[in-house]
Amino acid sequence: MKKAEVILGFFIFLGIVLFISNYPFGAVILLLAGLMLSGFYIGYGVFLFNDISLRALLTKGTSLFRDIKVQDIMLSIISSISISILIMGGTF
């Protein structure tokens, strides 16, 4: 999942460069990458901040949050929502 963050971050940087340089579709690339990264953090931020892999997420019958404290789960939920809001604010 961290590769997806890097790829979307690259597209945000590319969109900013294209937008500043006044090339066509720079704003579209920036907007789509920002929306995708924001949605990524809303959907998978809890798993990303608690180091839960995608494989463990898709495996049936595993208890994902067994060894994680409730405080860490709540902090990761609040962090993922706030990072998503910050990305949306920066995008627009």
Side-chain angles (χ1 to χ4, degrees), residues 13-74:
F13 178 73
L14 179 70
I16 289 171
V17 169
L18 290 176
F19 182 72
I20 290 174
S21 301
N22 234 0
Y23 281 105
F25 300 111
V28 174
I29 292 172
L30 177 63
L31 181 66
L32 289 178
L35 288 174
M36 288 175 65
L37 188 62
S38 176
F40 177 79
Y41 276 116
I42 283 289
Y44 300 110
V46 175
F47 304 109
L48 186 69
F49 293 136
N50 290 316
D51 290 328
I52 298 174
S53 66
L54 186 61
R55 182 169 295 177
L57 181 65
L58 297 177
T59 304
K60 219 175 184 184
T62 59
S63 178
L64 296 175
F65 298 108
R66 178 180 35 198
D67 299 329
I68 301 171
K69 297 178 193 174
V70 175
Q71 294 171 345
D72 293 337
I73 294 171
M74 293 305 292

